[in-house]
Amino acid sequence: MDDDTQSLIAIKEELERISSRFSKIFGQTHPQFDNVFEDLGAAGYYLREAGYRLESALKTVQGDSAVSSDNLESGDTEPE
């Protein structure tokens, strides 16, 4: 796994941790939940969206590796 892929995975994992921390801090029983619900909802949405886009970027970055290993699995030994 190359440095770019590892960096993207680290960022995606950090976004997931941040999202989880939001949920723990401002759960539905928090006294200010109603006051921050809309803002946290928007922040959570954008965190999830960033995660999806990072996942897409990871698939693109790893695509060359996946294609190479697919060729090996299918018995295609022709040089690229």
Side-chain angles (χ1 to χ4, degrees):
M1 191 177 310
D2 66 6
D3 290 340
D4 293 337
T5 301
Q6 289 176 344
S7 295
L8 290 172
I9 290 170
I11 292 168
K12 184 176 181 293
E13 290 171 350
E14 184 63 22
L15 288 172
E16 289 169 352
R17 283 191 294 272
I18 292 169
S19 181
S20 176
R21 288 171 58 197
F22 272 146
S23 297
K24 289 177 184 173
I25 294 169
F26 287 102
Q28 291 183 348
T29 58
H30 190 283
Q32 292 181 318
F33 178 78
D34 290 337
N35 297 338
V36 298
F37 177 76
E38 188 174 331
D39 291 335
L40 285 178
Y45 169 82
Y46 289 113
L47 285 169
R48 285 188 305 277
E49 187 66 26
Y52 298 145
R53 292 184 186 263
L54 277 171
E55 186 69 33
S56 177
L58 277 168
K59 288 179 182 178
T60 299
V61 168
Q62 294 172 335
D64 293 333
S65 300
V67 170
S68 297
S69 54
D70 286 347
N71 287 343
L72 292 175
E73 290 174 7
S74 67
D76 183 3
T77 57
E78 203 173 296
E80 294 180 15

